[in-house]
Amino acid sequence: MSGPRSTSSHRGGRKTAAPELPPIQVFGQPELVEHLRSGGAHHTHCVSIGNPYAFFARNRADSTMPRELRTHFARVFRLSFYDVEERRHLRARQFPKRIPKRADVRRAIRFFRKTRAVASGYTIHCWQGVSRSTAIALGYLYMMTGSEEEAGSALQRIRPQAGPHQRIVEWFDAELGCNLSAINARIRDERMARWKEELDLTEDMLLEELPSVD
């Protein structure tokens, strides 16, 4: 198995020593682009997740795959769908009406199985690095470890802000015969609890700034 790459080198260029990486990296797209441009270490294989490309409309950055990905990774696997659970949640201007499907998870699993022997690991991104990418990461970590608990704990270490897409996780369960949904429920509950703590802290700080009333 080949080791992680230093992003200072391009495909076919000279490689330099890279620090030890977790088996999965998760980024938001702008974050990953900056990471690559600054020479950050990355794996040989990438899973790129973005919004669908509209051929007859103006596309935003979240609908196009950054060119840096093609020059820094040996293989890039692209998935395109919006970060929603149901089609009815799409806004009118979101076109084409593409949401995650079970077939997308099957394709992601197939990519993993075909490349696992040669990949140093997987660098995964969506736009924010919170929902779609972490759902794929959770499934990949399970396939690496064989344990739902280990996969969930590893994901939280790798991406503390993870809030995996529920439907994608459910399809990993259906395809792999596991129960990552239970782990995902815990991850999302813990994330919500952290948000509440942060909100309470912010409210307390704001109250301290209010002038006293005599």
Side-chain angles (χ1 to χ4, degrees):
M1 182 181 298
S2 57
R5 292 186 169 194
S6 167
T7 52
S8 60
S9 63
H10 293 276
R11 183 164 42 192
R14 182 179 179 182
K15 296 180 184 179
T16 57
E20 187 69 24
L21 297 177
I24 297 291
Q25 294 175 293
V26 179
F27 293 92
Q29 181 171 308
E31 178 188 4
L32 177 57
V33 169
E34 179 59 30
H35 181 78
L36 296 175
R37 288 176 178 172
S38 64
H42 61 85
H43 284 297
T44 55
H45 288 57
C46 175
V47 178
S48 171
I49 308 170
N51 289 341
Y53 186 86
F55 288 96
F56 302 104
R58 183 177 180 181
N59 286 280
R60 304 190 329 174
D62 54 10
S63 298
T64 56
M65 190 170 72
R67 62 179 180 273
E68 287 84 359
L69 271 58
R70 297 193 183 280
T71 58
H72 285 80
F73 295 98
R75 290 281 302 276
V76 179
F77 171 63
R78 179 72 171 179
L79 290 168
S80 298
F81 43 72
Y82 289 107
D83 186 13
V84 297
E85 301 281 344
E86 305 286 347
R87 283 176 61 92
R88 59 189 174 86
H89 297 151
L90 291 169
R91 297 187 296 273
R93 62 184 177 84
Q94 289 180 302
F95 186 84
K97 304 297 184 184
R98 183 80 168 80
I99 65 172
K101 298 180 179 179
R102 185 166 177 170
D104 295 312
V105 172
R106 286 178 181 153
R107 290 176 58 222
I109 292 172
R110 190 179 308 122
F111 177 73
F112 176 88
R113 288 173 173 166
K114 285 184 175 180
T115 60
R116 185 69 185 108
V118 296
S120 66
Y122 298 87
T123 301
I124 306 174
H125 85 84
C126 59
W127 183 250
Q128 292 186 318
V130 173
S131 176
R132 293 169 291 180
S133 57
T134 60
I136 298 295
L138 183 61
Y140 277 21
L141 286 164
Y142 171 74
M143 288 191 286
M144 290 176 174
T145 65
S147 165
E148 292 97 333
E149 287 289 343
E150 287 185 34
S153 297
L155 178 63
Q156 289 180 296
R157 289 193 300 271
I158 293 166
R159 195 70 172 174
Q161 63 268 50
H165 191 287
Q166 293 181 4
R167 185 60 61 86
I168 294 174
V169 173
E170 289 171 1
W171 282 324
F172 269 110
D173 286 344
E175 291 294 320
L176 301 176
C178 54
N179 189 16
L180 291 170
S181 292
I183 301 300
N184 190 31
R186 187 197 71 200
I187 291 173
R188 295 171 72 94
D189 286 347
E190 291 176 0
R191 182 169 177 248
M192 185 63 67
R194 288 196 302 271
W195 279 358
K196 289 180 179 178
E197 289 178 3
E198 292 171 2
L199 180 61
D200 290 341
L201 177 62
T202 302
E203 290 174 347
D204 290 341
M205 292 174 64
L206 288 172
L207 288 172
E208 289 176 2
E209 296 297 324
L210 293 175
S212 59
V213 179
D214 296 329

